Amino acid sequence: MFDIYPLLWPFLRRLDPEEAHLLALRALSSGLFPKLAKTDPQLLAQELWGLHFPNPVGLAAGFDKNAEVPDALLNLGFGFVEIGTVTPQPQAGNPRPRLFRLAEDEAVINRMGFNNDGAIAVRGRLARHKSKPGIIGVNIGKNKTTEDAAADYEKGAVLLAPMASYLVVNISSPNTPGLRALQGRDALSALLGRTKAALKTAVPENSPPLLVKVAPDLESQDRKDIADVVLANGIDGLIVSNTTIARPASLRSAQRNETGGLSGKPLFVASTEMLADFYRLTKGAIPLIGVGGIASGADAYAKIRAGASLVQVYSALVYKGPGLVERIKRELYYLLRRDGFTQLGQAIGADHR
Ligand SMILES: Cc1cc2nc3c(=O)[nH]c(=O)nc-3n(C[C@H](O)[C@H](O)[C@H](O)COP(=O)(O)O)c2cc1C
């Protein structure tokens, strides 16, 4: 299909980034994107956690924070969509401007600060989706001023797990003070123990898998601790990674020194190396979702070979538009076939063998 996004881009890039994002949400909710007639090739399909993923390319958290348009997003060809981050109480997030395009670097910096409608409102929207097909993960976090962080994750689990295909504990946003400290061994162990117990109470049978999303800025000892705690607590998967607080020397855009988390191209290498590290540390025992800087089928393939069972994208959509999803799948299919794989699952972690 002819991709009109390159023609729209000169206009879109003149809009304030947050206004452009709101416009995208509005376009998606207006029904401009009907379901594509195409079905995904069997080679890209996978069963994980008892769920059928028609393809491994998902939308990362932060695009549809409030579950306003998950069905329209699935219609773009994503194999799954992750909504959130959702906190128990609604909150406004940081003052604007808080979202910056680094166009020369194909990157984004954001310091949104978990702006969202809160768990009750989001739960209502997800309830309306529940009878429809499609995998929707729910990413939960804590409110900015909550002292007992684990209590917020418990609340999130109780309210949202019944509506989630999978649940993600997000402890890696750089824009909520103290959040990333929850990645330390003892804090993480307590947090995951309590969240898991709340999840089991809320959904005693067939409870959704519980995943943890980590930062790309972890030292080697932190990575080992997280892998140990995750395996010891029976956590079902890891998402590697969130945005980085690092500012690589290669950045050229004027906005490169804005405070917040950096995503897109400059995050690709570091997040893929960390993904490979977590694959080694968890010995392939749990599925990993690779995210950070994916902008092509080759990037997605590199994450899969490094150990990802699934991948997610966000920033590249800003620069390449919604046609990117089909393009990534097409290229990935070609690369898997080229290398003799007859099923996606065979390629997971191939670089380690
Ligand atoms: C504007 C923006 C908002 C984001 N909000 C969230 C969020 O609420 N929760 C979360 O877990 N990750 C959030 N992320 C991080 C993405 O989910 C993803 O981990 C990161 O952007 C790296 O992927 P990318 O390089 O493909 O963008 C956000 C990213 C961006 C650009």
Side-chain angles (χ1 to χ4, degrees):
M1 203 175 74
F2 179 64
D3 188 357
I4 62 162
Y5 198 80
L7 299 177
L8 295 176
W9 177 242
F11 302 100
L12 290 174
R13 71 173 295 168
R14 273 189 238 146
L15 294 179
D16 165 74
E18 191 158 347
E19 290 305 322
H21 181 237
L22 295 173
L23 191 66
L25 288 175
R26 232 175 295 145
L28 284 158
S29 67
S30 71
L32 273 179
F33 300 94
K35 186 166 172 47
L36 297 171
K38 265 201 268 174
T39 51
D40 293 315
Q42 186 51 37
L43 185 146
L44 293 182
Q46 244 178 135
E47 305 290 326
L48 289 173
W49 309 299
L51 300 168
H52 177 76
F53 288 80
N55 74 72
V57 184
L59 177 66
F63 184 90
D64 188 8
K65 286 179 185 271
N66 297 310
E68 291 171 284
V69 288
D71 295 308
L73 288 163
L74 288 166
N75 284 351
L76 297 180
F78 285 111
F80 62 110
V81 167
E82 188 170 312
I83 65 109
T85 295
V86 185
T87 55
Q89 301 300 321
Q91 67 179 23
N94 289 320
R96 293 195 200 185
R98 54 192 179 175
L99 180 58
F100 306 90
R101 284 189 210 102
L102 279 65
E104 288 99 317
D105 304 299
E106 290 184 56
V108 171
I109 290 178
N110 92 83
R111 52 168 179 270
M112 305 300 285
F114 290 170
N115 55 310
N116 78 105
D117 293 345
I120 305 275
V122 171
R123 180 190 162 94
R125 286 188 202 119
L126 289 172
R128 289 198 283 283
H129 166 88
K130 210 165 179 226
S131 56
K132 299 185 195 158
I135 295 173
I136 300 186
V138 177
N139 178 311
I140 57 173
K142 72 175 276 289
N143 280 107
K144 186 174 177 182
T145 55
T146 301
E147 300 251 332
D148 180 8
D152 271 10
Y153 289 90
E154 287 173 320
K155 285 181 195 156
V158 167
L159 286 165
L160 293 164
M163 306 295 155
S165 305
Y166 67 86
L167 197 71
V168 182
V169 168
N170 177 14
I171 42 171
S172 46
S173 163
N175 303 312
T176 294
L179 193 80
R180 287 168 305 141
L182 297 171
Q183 295 176 122
R185 180 182 275 271
D186 295 341
L188 185 62
S189 194
L191 174 72
L192 295 181
R194 282 173 64 181
T195 309
K196 195 158 180 190
L199 171 68
K200 293 280 173 200
T201 309
V203 193
E205 275 164 41
N206 288 329
S207 51
L210 184 62
L211 284 72
V212 175
K213 184 166 178 180
V214 296
D217 308 308
L218 298 163
E219 301 295 336
S220 140
Q221 186 58 47
D222 294 328
R223 300 178 194 191
K224 285 199 193 93
D225 288 348
I226 291 172
D228 287 351
V229 170
V230 157
L231 293 176
N233 282 278
I235 296 305
D236 301 288
L238 276 168
I239 305 186
V240 187
S241 72
N242 215 310
T243 57
T244 179
I245 52 169
R247 292 294 180 268
S250 62
L251 295 180
R252 291 180 301 133
S253 306
Q255 315 258 44
R256 64 183 183 267
N257 290 322
E258 288 291 345
T259 299
L262 172 75
S263 56
K265 270 249 154 83
L267 178 57
F268 180 78
V269 171
S271 62
T272 307
E273 279 171 7
M274 210 174 80
L275 172 72
D277 223 15
F278 271 109
Y279 187 81
R280 277 188 291 270
L281 290 166
T282 55
K283 303 185 177 64
I286 53 171
L288 308 179
I289 302 183
V291 47
I294 295 176
S296 68
D299 295 340
Y301 187 46
K303 295 267 190 202
I304 291 164
R305 294 190 60 111
S309 296
L310 301 166
V311 297
Q312 291 176 323
V313 291
Y314 186 162
S315 300
L317 292 167
V318 172
Y319 298 105
K320 308 205 177 226
L324 178 65
V325 187
E326 287 298 324
R327 215 146 58 230
I328 290 177
K329 290 193 291 184
R330 211 164 43 233
E331 289 171 15
L332 180 59
Y333 178 81
Y334 165 80
L335 292 168
L336 288 163
R337 293 278 303 261
R338 181 198 67 185
D339 292 351
F341 296 113
T342 53
Q343 203 59 50
L344 167 73
Q346 299 159 356
I348 297 166
D351 285 347
H352 300 268
R353 295 190 277 275

